[in-house]
Amino acid sequence: MDAVIDNLPLFLEGFRNTLGLLAVAGVGAFILGVLVAAMRISPVASLRAFATVYTEIVRNTPLTLVLFFCAYLLPYLQFSPGYFQLAAIGLTVYTSPFVAEALRSGVNGVHVGQAEAARSVGLTFGQTLSFIVLPQAFRMVIPPLINVFIALAKNTSVAGAFFVFELFGAARRITNDRGDAVIAILLAVAVFYLIITIPLGFIAGRIEKKVAVLR
Amino acid sequence: MTSVLYDVPGPRARFRSKIFSVVGVVIIVGALLALIVVLGLPKTSANGAVQPGIWDASRWDVFNDVQVWRTLGIGALNTLRMAFVAAAFALVIGVLFSFGRSSGAAWIRIPTTIVLEFFRGMPVLLMMLFILLVFSTGSFWAGVAALAVYNGAIIGEALRAGINALPSGQREAGLAIGLTPIATRFRIEFPQAFRQMLPIIIAQLVVLLKDTSLAFVVGYPELMRSGNYNLGTFFGNQYQFSFFFVVLAIYLTMNLSLSWLARRIAKRTGPQAGKLIKPDTTPPIDPNLVDARALGTQSRDQ
């Protein structure tokens, strides 16, 4: 236990970096995901095809490979803004197709009758989307979206293997120093992760129940 | 769905969307070409040495070496081996979790729920490190155990959702013909839930296959480690890109074929496949017509 208390500043620094990665990559992935989802449902065939191929390729690439590309090959191409930023880029790219898929399934989940009704009272494409389909889709999208962000919070640990000092990196360093208290240290790190993931999961469950009643 | 959102385009809109399409293709292809050209340009490094571009033959000649392909092959086999063993354990653990979670006894259900939430909220990587350091199992079993427990928890949740989604008549019927609750669960509910959830389970197995690459952190010589680190450092920096692309291609091939399989199975044993009544191609008979016909025969009989 004293190994945990002695190294608390390191834990907190790691926790801050994990939260930072989660925030930066979360916002980035959301923006990129909205763009990809918009391309995916757009009337323009070439954008649709591009978004589909992008989603398929990124979704089937291991995160470690994406982060390897960011941490080793981007600096090699004379692009090195620091490992934290590189890891954030990698996590953004990796998470964006999952965000896009969640959004798309939300739009597809709105009953066709809603869109038909909107169209038949004379709303245009933009009005139908912004007044009828998206408000409903948004509500249904929140639980899967939160699940994506939970996965992202756990995935930030992979950045610890690529020179970013976040919780997993902290765990590795402290267990190297204090080989005698490995269990306590790793349980402490697990608690920090659970502080992020369990409340998010709880919120997702609550919203899911609320939406289910409304349907 | 998308076609509902806008009118069937007229000639002008069709023309416009075709222009958009062409412009989009030109932009995308242009960006890709630019990327390829930029990657192919020779580069001057800090010490003044000039390196040929990525598409130069000198950066790909390592692949003439059979030994390189052997190393990559062994890496891929190691990845598949870990994925296979972990998947088998994950399925077993998932079944156990689903039974525990939907058990009638609170002293089983509540601890299972807590354990399951704990495993679901933890990064796989941390679990691998934990198992490696605490149980000192060696890298292979550390990876397998972490992947099996984590994915088992998720598969368990999927199976539980499948069991919950079954009509309650299934369970009642099982109990009514005299099966014990456990036999009902095993022989009536579970097979149906498993078939219903098969697409989700296979999708999770694709995730598992991807996640085997995390085992490189604990030192397991799988595809990523042997391809990008071992070969990359052995042959030097100039081959980094080549190895990266080859490893990426191998991963994409494995994962896309498994995803494709998942989609095929989802189509064959989709939601309706688990149902007792197959959707009929002939439409159901209109009750009014049946009534009239029945009445007609009756009246003729009288």
Side-chain angles (χ1 to χ4, degrees):
Chain A
M1 200 61 211
D2 59 321
V4 175
I5 294 166
D6 290 346
N7 290 306
L8 204 57
L10 279 180
F11 277 117
L12 288 179
E13 192 196 334
F15 190 52
R16 220 178 23 250
N17 275 334
T18 291
L19 283 181
L21 272 181
L22 175 61
V24 174
V27 171
F30 185 74
I31 295 169
L32 203 57
V34 168
L35 283 179
V36 174
M39 280 165 130
R40 215 123 180 219
I41 60 169
S42 79
V44 182
S46 65
L47 294 184
R48 225 164 32 221
F50 175 73
T52 312
V53 171
Y54 173 83
T55 308
E56 278 302 307
I57 287 184
V58 178
R59 267 209 324 176
N60 284 296
T61 306
L63 174 60
T64 38
L65 218 51
V66 177
L67 285 179
F68 179 86
F69 184 83
C70 290
Y72 285 92
L73 299 187
L74 283 183
Y76 185 70
L77 292 175
Q78 271 100 44
F79 177 78
S80 46
Y83 284 119
F84 180 87
Q85 285 81 347
L86 286 170
I89 293 171
L91 285 168
T92 299
V93 170
Y94 180 77
T95 314
S96 60
F98 294 97
V99 172
E101 285 298 278
L103 292 173
R104 197 172 68 97
S105 70
V107 172
N108 279 340
V110 176
H111 199 269
V112 187
Q114 298 285 328
E116 282 171 352
R119 294 290 298 144
S120 64
V121 296
L123 298 186
T124 62
F125 173 72
Q127 286 170 328
T128 310
L129 268 188
S130 53
F131 296 142
I132 309 294
V133 174
L134 285 186
Q136 296 184 55
F138 187 63
R139 209 183 289 169
M140 287 206 293
V141 145
I142 289 177
L145 215 51
I146 290 180
N147 285 335
V148 170
F149 288 131
I150 292 175
L152 172 62
K154 287 185 287 187
N155 282 340
T156 54
S157 66
V158 183
F162 293 96
F163 318 119
V164 181
F165 188 78
E166 44 69 77
L167 274 175
F168 182 73
R172 282 221 290 193
R173 188 188 293 177
I174 300 169
T175 46
N176 272 346
D177 291 350
R178 295 290 306 264
D180 55 322
V182 172
I183 296 182
I185 293 166
L186 288 177
L187 283 181
V189 175
V191 167
F192 275 114
Y193 275 110
L194 294 177
I195 287 176
I196 306 176
T197 53
I198 284 186
L200 280 177
F202 185 69
I203 295 171
R206 283 289 292 277
I207 294 176
E208 203 157 7
K209 250 174 214 153
K210 262 192 168 166
V211 175
V213 172
L214 284 170
R215 298 242 99 214
Chain B
M1 180 70 202
T2 32
S3 60
V4 179
L5 292 176
Y6 36 84
D7 286 325
V8 178
R12 269 218 332 247
R14 264 209 303 275
F15 181 66
R16 220 181 312 145
S17 106
K18 206 172 274 172
I19 285 183
F20 270 131
S21 232
V22 169
V23 169
V25 166
V26 166
I27 290 175
I28 292 164
V29 169
L32 285 179
L33 278 181
L35 188 72
I36 289 169
V37 168
V38 166
L39 286 180
L41 286 178
K43 227 182 309 301
T44 317
S45 45
N47 55 10
V50 179
Q51 276 202 339
I54 284 167
W55 314 116
D56 196 86
S58 70
R59 312 242 338 221
W60 294 86
D61 53 5
V62 271
F63 291 106
N64 291 329
D65 193 346
V66 183
Q67 207 59 38
V68 169
W69 286 109
R70 259 181 58 118
T71 312
L72 286 174
I74 290 171
L77 277 183
N78 279 340
T79 290
L80 288 176
R81 198 158 61 107
M82 175 176 268
F84 191 76
V85 177
F89 279 113
L91 285 175
V92 173
I93 292 174
V95 171
L96 292 179
F97 266 134
S98 75
F99 287 160
R101 260 309 298 261
S102 53
S103 156
W107 64 271
I108 299 178
R109 194 176 59 239
I110 292 170
T112 316
T113 311
I114 293 172
V115 169
L116 200 131
E117 283 299 324
F118 181 76
F119 284 141
R120 281 208 311 168
M122 274 241 285
V124 186
L125 202 51
L126 195 65
M127 249 188 275
M128 279 185 194
L129 189 68
F130 189 97
I131 294 167
L132 182 76
L133 292 181
V134 175
F135 301 106
S136 43
T137 49
S139 56
F140 177 74
W141 287 106
V144 165
L147 288 171
V149 168
Y150 177 77
N151 292 288
I154 290 175
I155 290 173
E157 276 297 280
L159 283 175
R160 187 184 67 98
I163 289 176
N164 279 352
L166 285 178
S168 58
Q170 296 293 326
R171 183 178 174 75
E172 286 158 12
L175 294 175
I177 59 170
L179 294 176
T180 60
I182 292 175
T184 309
R185 181 135 287 161
F186 261 107
R187 300 178 63 175
I188 310 283
E189 290 181 288
F190 182 69
Q192 298 185 53
F194 193 78
R195 288 190 70 178
Q196 289 265 351
M197 289 293 149
L198 199 54
I200 294 180
I201 291 171
I202 294 182
Q204 193 57 40
L205 294 184
V206 176
V207 173
L208 190 151
L209 178 57
K210 273 194 334 183
D211 280 354
T212 51
S213 66
L214 294 176
F216 95 92
V217 178
V218 291
Y220 182 62
E222 40 71 72
L223 180 55
M224 162 122 183
R225 184 165 202 95
S226 52
N228 285 344
Y229 285 88
N230 295 354
L231 286 178
T233 46
F234 184 73
F235 285 102
N237 258 343
Q238 82 218 53
Y239 295 112
Q240 287 272 25
F241 268 97
S242 324
F243 284 125
F244 176 81
F245 282 124
V246 170
V247 169
L248 179 65
I250 296 174
Y251 264 118
L252 282 179
T253 317
M254 290 197 299
N255 292 332
L256 283 174
S257 44
L258 195 55
S259 304
W260 173 79
L261 191 72
R263 228 168 289 159
R264 282 231 8 208
I265 290 175
K267 218 174 261 172
R268 273 185 45 198
T269 65
Q272 75 270 28
K275 296 249 170 68
L276 293 174
I277 304 162
K278 290 267 182 243
D280 226 333
T281 41
T282 52
I285 302 162
D286 188 6
N288 293 324
L289 286 178
V290 175
D291 217 16
R293 243 183 284 152
L295 282 175
T297 49
Q298 263 174 3
S299 57
R300 217 181 299 145
D301 284 346
Q302 278 165 355

mmCIF file of all heavy atoms in Angstrom, chain B residues 266-285:
data_model
loop_
_atom_site.group_PDB
_atom_site.id
_atom_site.type_symbol
_atom_site.label_atom_id
_atom_site.label_comp_id
_atom_site.label_asym_id
_atom_site.label_seq_id
_atom_site.Cartn_x
_atom_site.Cartn_y
_atom_site.Cartn_z
ATOM 1 N N ALA B 266 -24.272 -13.777 -40.192
ATOM 2 C CA ALA B 266 -25.367 -12.908 -39.742
ATOM 3 C C ALA B 266 -26.528 -12.983 -40.722
ATOM 4 O O ALA B 266 -27.690 -12.944 -40.336
ATOM 5 C CB ALA B 266 -24.866 -11.472 -39.622
ATOM 6 N N LYS B 267 -26.181 -13.089 -42.018
ATOM 7 C CA LYS B 267 -27.248 -13.147 -43.015
ATOM 8 C C LYS B 267 -27.984 -14.479 -42.921
ATOM 9 O O LYS B 267 -29.194 -14.541 -43.059
ATOM 10 C CB LYS B 267 -26.627 -12.971 -44.406
ATOM 11 C CG LYS B 267 -27.492 -12.131 -45.334
ATOM 12 C CD LYS B 267 -26.782 -11.864 -46.641
ATOM 13 C CE LYS B 267 -26.146 -10.492 -46.666
ATOM 14 N NZ LYS B 267 -25.295 -10.301 -47.847
ATOM 15 N N ARG B 268 -27.218 -15.566 -42.679
ATOM 16 C CA ARG B 268 -27.846 -16.885 -42.679
ATOM 17 C C ARG B 268 -28.600 -17.176 -41.398
ATOM 18 O O ARG B 268 -29.689 -17.733 -41.420
ATOM 19 C CB ARG B 268 -26.784 -17.966 -42.911
ATOM 20 C CG ARG B 268 -26.561 -18.209 -44.388
ATOM 21 C CD ARG B 268 -25.612 -19.360 -44.612
ATOM 22 N NE ARG B 268 -25.924 -20.506 -43.771
ATOM 23 C CZ ARG B 268 -25.067 -21.471 -43.522
ATOM 24 N NH1 ARG B 268 -23.868 -21.401 -44.023
ATOM 25 N NH2 ARG B 268 -25.408 -22.496 -42.778
ATOM 26 N N THR B 269 -27.988 -16.835 -40.267
ATOM 27 C CA THR B 269 -28.667 -17.068 -39.003
ATOM 28 C C THR B 269 -28.982 -15.735 -38.364
ATOM 29 O O THR B 269 -28.576 -15.444 -37.264
ATOM 30 C CB THR B 269 -27.795 -17.881 -38.033
ATOM 31 O OG1 THR B 269 -26.665 -17.073 -37.710
ATOM 32 C CG2 THR B 269 -27.332 -19.162 -38.635
ATOM 33 N N GLY B 270 -29.685 -14.895 -39.104
ATOM 34 C CA GLY B 270 -30.039 -13.580 -38.601
ATOM 35 C C GLY B 270 -31.101 -13.694 -37.523
ATOM 36 O O GLY B 270 -31.367 -14.782 -37.016
ATOM 37 N N PRO B 271 -31.716 -12.569 -37.174
ATOM 38 C CA PRO B 271 -32.727 -12.579 -36.120
ATOM 39 C C PRO B 271 -33.840 -13.592 -36.371
ATOM 40 O O PRO B 271 -34.309 -14.220 -35.437
ATOM 41 C CB PRO B 271 -33.285 -11.157 -36.167
ATOM 42 C CG PRO B 271 -32.194 -10.343 -36.731
ATOM 43 C CD PRO B 271 -31.424 -11.230 -37.661
ATOM 44 N N GLN B 272 -34.223 -13.784 -37.635
ATOM 45 C CA GLN B 272 -35.358 -14.673 -37.861
ATOM 46 C C GLN B 272 -34.959 -16.135 -37.813
ATOM 47 O O GLN B 272 -35.806 -17.000 -37.679
ATOM 48 C CB GLN B 272 -36.066 -14.349 -39.190
ATOM 49 C CG GLN B 272 -35.359 -14.798 -40.439
ATOM 50 C CD GLN B 272 -34.421 -13.707 -40.927
ATOM 51 O OE1 GLN B 272 -33.930 -12.914 -40.152
ATOM 52 N NE2 GLN B 272 -34.185 -13.665 -42.223
ATOM 53 N N ALA B 273 -33.620 -16.412 -37.922
ATOM 54 C CA ALA B 273 -33.207 -17.811 -38.001
ATOM 55 C C ALA B 273 -33.425 -18.532 -36.677
ATOM 56 O O ALA B 273 -33.660 -19.726 -36.645
ATOM 57 C CB ALA B 273 -31.742 -17.891 -38.383
ATOM 58 N N GLY B 274 -33.343 -17.787 -35.565
ATOM 59 C CA GLY B 274 -33.516 -18.434 -34.275
ATOM 60 C C GLY B 274 -34.971 -18.642 -33.922
ATOM 61 O O GLY B 274 -35.285 -19.366 -32.995
ATOM 62 N N LYS B 275 -35.855 -17.992 -34.661
ATOM 63 C CA LYS B 275 -37.277 -18.088 -34.345
ATOM 64 C C LYS B 275 -37.783 -19.482 -34.676
ATOM 65 O O LYS B 275 -37.249 -20.189 -35.518
ATOM 66 C CB LYS B 275 -38.050 -17.043 -35.170
ATOM 67 C CG LYS B 275 -37.657 -15.631 -34.806
ATOM 68 C CD LYS B 275 -38.801 -14.919 -34.104
ATOM 69 C CE LYS B 275 -38.354 -13.609 -33.516
ATOM 70 N NZ LYS B 275 -38.020 -12.642 -34.546
ATOM 71 N N LEU B 276 -38.861 -19.849 -34.012
ATOM 72 C CA LEU B 276 -39.395 -21.189 -34.233
ATOM 73 C C LEU B 276 -40.114 -21.273 -35.558
ATOM 74 O O LEU B 276 -40.083 -22.293 -36.233
ATOM 75 C CB LEU B 276 -40.347 -21.548 -33.094
ATOM 76 C CG LEU B 276 -39.635 -21.697 -31.756
ATOM 77 C CD1 LEU B 276 -40.634 -21.906 -30.655
ATOM 78 C CD2 LEU B 276 -38.676 -22.870 -31.815
ATOM 79 N N ILE B 277 -40.796 -20.200 -35.923
ATOM 80 C CA ILE B 277 -41.568 -20.215 -37.159
ATOM 81 C C ILE B 277 -40.785 -19.458 -38.222
ATOM 82 O O ILE B 277 -40.400 -18.314 -38.026
ATOM 83 C CB ILE B 277 -42.936 -19.544 -36.947
ATOM 84 C CG1 ILE B 277 -43.668 -20.232 -35.800
ATOM 85 C CG2 ILE B 277 -43.749 -19.558 -38.219
ATOM 86 C CD1 ILE B 277 -44.788 -19.406 -35.231
ATOM 87 N N LYS B 278 -40.534 -20.124 -39.317
ATOM 88 C CA LYS B 278 -39.829 -19.453 -40.403
ATOM 89 C C LYS B 278 -40.797 -18.472 -41.066
ATOM 90 O O LYS B 278 -41.997 -18.741 -41.172
ATOM 91 C CB LYS B 278 -39.377 -20.490 -41.448
ATOM 92 C CG LYS B 278 -38.269 -21.372 -40.942
ATOM 93 C CD LYS B 278 -36.915 -20.823 -41.304
ATOM 94 C CE LYS B 278 -35.808 -21.724 -40.851
ATOM 95 N NZ LYS B 278 -34.930 -21.161 -39.884
ATOM 96 N N PRO B 279 -40.283 -17.300 -41.487
ATOM 97 C CA PRO B 279 -41.170 -16.373 -42.178
ATOM 98 C C PRO B 279 -41.710 -17.020 -43.446
ATOM 99 O O PRO B 279 -40.967 -17.589 -44.242
ATOM 100 C CB PRO B 279 -40.261 -15.189 -42.499
ATOM 101 C CG PRO B 279 -38.892 -15.730 -42.423
ATOM 102 C CD PRO B 279 -38.919 -16.829 -41.404
ATOM 103 N N ASP B 280 -43.014 -16.948 -43.597
ATOM 104 C CA ASP B 280 -43.663 -17.649 -44.706
ATOM 105 C C ASP B 280 -43.599 -16.797 -45.958
ATOM 106 O O ASP B 280 -43.722 -15.577 -45.900
ATOM 107 C CB ASP B 280 -45.122 -17.921 -44.332
ATOM 108 C CG ASP B 280 -45.498 -19.348 -44.657
ATOM 109 O OD1 ASP B 280 -44.869 -19.896 -45.575
ATOM 110 O OD2 ASP B 280 -46.391 -19.876 -43.999
ATOM 111 N N THR B 281 -43.391 -17.454 -47.085
ATOM 112 C CA THR B 281 -43.392 -16.695 -48.323
ATOM 113 C C THR B 281 -44.818 -16.411 -48.774
ATOM 114 O O THR B 281 -45.102 -15.369 -49.338
ATOM 115 C CB THR B 281 -42.640 -17.442 -49.437
ATOM 116 O OG1 THR B 281 -42.992 -18.817 -49.352
ATOM 117 C CG2 THR B 281 -41.139 -17.286 -49.275
ATOM 118 N N THR B 282 -45.715 -17.364 -48.507
ATOM 119 C CA THR B 282 -47.107 -17.116 -48.884
ATOM 120 C C THR B 282 -47.752 -16.244 -47.812
ATOM 121 O O THR B 282 -47.563 -16.479 -46.622
ATOM 122 C CB THR B 282 -47.881 -18.434 -48.978
ATOM 123 O OG1 THR B 282 -47.668 -19.156 -47.760
ATOM 124 C CG2 THR B 282 -47.424 -19.259 -50.139
ATOM 125 N N PRO B 283 -48.499 -15.221 -48.206
ATOM 126 C CA PRO B 283 -49.098 -14.329 -47.216
ATOM 127 C C PRO B 283 -50.159 -15.064 -46.409
ATOM 128 O O PRO B 283 -50.785 -16.000 -46.918
ATOM 129 C CB PRO B 283 -49.721 -13.222 -48.071
ATOM 130 C CG PRO B 283 -49.905 -13.836 -49.411
ATOM 131 C CD PRO B 283 -48.828 -14.843 -49.574
ATOM 132 N N PRO B 284 -50.334 -14.679 -45.136
ATOM 133 C CA PRO B 284 -51.359 -15.334 -44.326
ATOM 134 C C PRO B 284 -52.750 -15.104 -44.910
ATOM 135 O O PRO B 284 -53.013 -14.080 -45.541
ATOM 136 C CB PRO B 284 -51.212 -14.654 -42.962
ATOM 137 C CG PRO B 284 -50.533 -13.358 -43.243
ATOM 138 C CD PRO B 284 -49.659 -13.599 -44.421
ATOM 139 N N ILE B 285 -53.598 -16.078 -44.682
ATOM 140 C CA ILE B 285 -54.941 -15.995 -45.263
ATOM 141 C C ILE B 285 -55.753 -14.952 -44.508
ATOM 142 O O ILE B 285 -55.705 -14.877 -43.281
ATOM 143 C CB ILE B 285 -55.642 -17.371 -45.195
ATOM 144 C CG1 ILE B 285 -54.790 -18.395 -45.946
ATOM 145 C CG2 ILE B 285 -57.038 -17.317 -45.777
ATOM 146 C CD1 ILE B 285 -55.129 -19.812 -45.585
#
